[in-house]
Amino acid sequence: MRKTTSYIIVGLTLTACLCSSCNNKKSKDGRTDTYSSGAISFVSDESFSPIIEEERDIFQRDYIEAKVTPIYTNESDAINKLLSGKAWLAFTARDFKPAELKSLQNQNFSPVAIKLAYDALAFIVHKNNKDTLLSTKDVENIMTGKSTKWGDIFKGSNGGTITVVFDNAKSSTVHFIEDSVLKGRPITNPNIVAVNKTEEVIKYVEQNPGAIGIIGNNWLNDKRDTTNLTFNKNIRVMSLSRIHPATASSSRKPYQYYIYNGQYPLIRTIYALLNDPRRGLPWGFAHFIEGPKGQRIVMKAGLLPVLGNINIRDVNVSQ
């Protein structure tokens, strides 16, 4: 008997262009980079490194005279480097704050924030964990320490203590939970582990059955699956619901389609923050990601591009 499975595929059409600059004059600060050539470094929250690496690779193939070197760190340190003049470009999960804008403008800078993509915050558990439905209320209860055991959420569960694992104590992931889920309140769960990077979150969850890891969904997708419907098989991805208690019908996984239609509850924006008075290579790289080829890379990675016409198709696959 043939089984038919329906998938929803998200497609993208783009209409934009990347400009280039021929100005290669040496500036007073010693920089010689232009919009499409030279060498610069930039900073980024480490949770975005998979998508940024893909963008960087193609950008440097297209512009062979350009070299853009990443410094992957946490969001707080990335923004501080930008504000202190130690970097001209930062990739973050938030816009400039009003006080930050005012401070830079008072120094005669013209900072700019560019929206590049929409990302989903994914909750991952051990591959043998069968408890995979959470409501946003459950997430709030876990983060505030109201729920510290799996049995507090799933009656009868023998999963023991819930350990929440973040990539870094100052990462965009932590900031998003505090700002968007807890409405400005701090995370007070006593069972919190902060490692150094996202790869370590995944490894921790693989080795600890009671853990919940929180990561960006651009770390999840199996690159062999162009539909972005296959996740890392060494962990399980939880389904989240705005409705409490969560049910299978009300819950969604962080698939691209559910980012597109807003049904996945925890969606964040990836920004390029620029403070480059020369408008050189940092601008060129940021606008490349914003442009047609950069947005197609975003699409292929399983995130949602900001620019372009999104086409939705139902596809039936016979198995």
Side-chain angles (χ1 to χ4, degrees), residues 217-223 228-232 254 301-303:
N217 80 322
N218 68 126
W219 281 86
L220 292 176
N221 296 303
D222 185 335
K223 302 304 179 184
N228 291 310
L229 294 168
T230 304
F231 291 140
N232 183 332
L303 307 184

Side-chain angles (χ1 to χ4, degrees), residues 93-304:
R94 71 165 176 85
D95 199 343
F96 287 105
K97 294 180 179 179
E100 294 166 347
L101 276 177
K102 185 175 181 180
S103 174
L104 291 172
Q105 290 165 352
N106 288 342
Q107 300 172 62
N108 296 318
F109 289 114
S110 299
V112 173
I114 301 174
K115 291 182 179 180
L116 300 176
Y118 300 108
D119 180 29
L121 215 59
F123 285 58
I124 61 173
V125 292
H126 191 274
K127 63 181 180 181
N128 293 332
N129 192 334
K130 306 301 182 184
D131 299 326
T132 58
L133 299 180
L134 284 180
S135 70
T136 51
K137 182 63 177 177
D138 291 329
V139 174
E140 180 183 352
N141 288 341
I142 291 169
M143 296 304 160
T144 57
K146 186 175 180 179
S147 298
T148 59
K149 298 182 183 299
W150 286 98
D152 295 336
I153 300 173
F154 303 97
K155 302 305 180 185
S157 173
N158 58 359
T161 299
I162 299 172
T163 301
V164 181
V165 192
F166 287 100
D167 50 348
N168 189 288
K170 297 188 290 184
S171 73
S172 60
T173 306
V174 172
H175 295 157
F176 184 90
I177 292 293
E178 291 181 335
D179 293 342
S180 299
V181 177
L182 301 182
K183 309 303 180 186
R185 292 174 292 163
I187 297 169
T188 54
N189 187 314
N191 304 311
I192 297 290
V193 173
V195 291
N196 293 313
K197 52 187 179 180
T198 306
E199 186 177 6
E200 294 177 11
V201 176
I202 298 171
K203 288 181 179 178
Y204 190 101
V205 170
E206 288 175 350
Q207 297 168 4
N208 294 273
I212 295 178
I214 306 176
I215 62 176
N217 80 322
N218 68 126
W219 281 86
L220 292 176
N221 296 303
D222 185 335
K223 302 304 179 184
R224 296 168 297 180
D225 178 11
T226 58
T227 67
N228 291 310
L229 294 168
T230 304
F231 291 140
N232 183 332
K233 293 181 173 59
N234 294 324
I235 48 90
R236 299 190 75 182
V237 180
M238 303 190 83
S239 299
L240 267 61
S241 170
R242 288 190 174 88
I243 299 171
H244 182 76
T247 64
S249 61
S250 71
S251 303
R252 300 289 183 268
K253 291 186 185 295
Y255 289 134
Q256 196 174 47
Y257 177 69
Y258 296 130
I259 300 175
Y260 167 75
N261 65 16
Q263 290 184 16
Y264 189 75
L266 301 182
I267 300 170
R268 60 182 181 173
T269 305
I270 301 176
Y271 290 87
L273 301 185
L274 285 154
N275 187 38
D276 178 17
R278 182 176 170 82
R279 296 199 171 214
L281 193 54
W283 282 77
F285 183 43
H287 284 151
F288 170 82
I289 302 175
E290 184 189 28
K293 186 171 287 189
Q295 292 287 280
R296 283 194 290 271
I297 295 168
V298 167
M299 193 76 181
K300 186 178 178 182
L303 307 184
L304 191 71

Side-chain angles (χ1 to χ4, degrees), residues 8-62:
I8 299 175
I9 308 299
V10 183
L12 174 67
T13 304
L14 290 154
T15 55
C17 63
L18 177 69
C19 300
S20 63
S21 172
C22 298
N23 179 23
N24 60 1
K25 295 180 181 179
K26 192 170 184 177
S27 63
K28 293 181 180 179
D29 60 9
R31 287 175 58 186
T32 58
D33 60 286
T34 73
Y35 197 85
S36 57
S37 68
I40 57 101
S41 61
F42 64 89
V43 289
S44 173
D45 186 280
E46 184 271 339
S47 68
F48 302 135
S49 61
I51 182 62
I52 297 301
E53 283 301 298
E54 291 188 48
E55 297 282 4
R56 189 171 75 94
D57 180 58
I58 301 302
F59 177 77
Q60 292 182 150
R61 287 187 199 178
D62 287 358

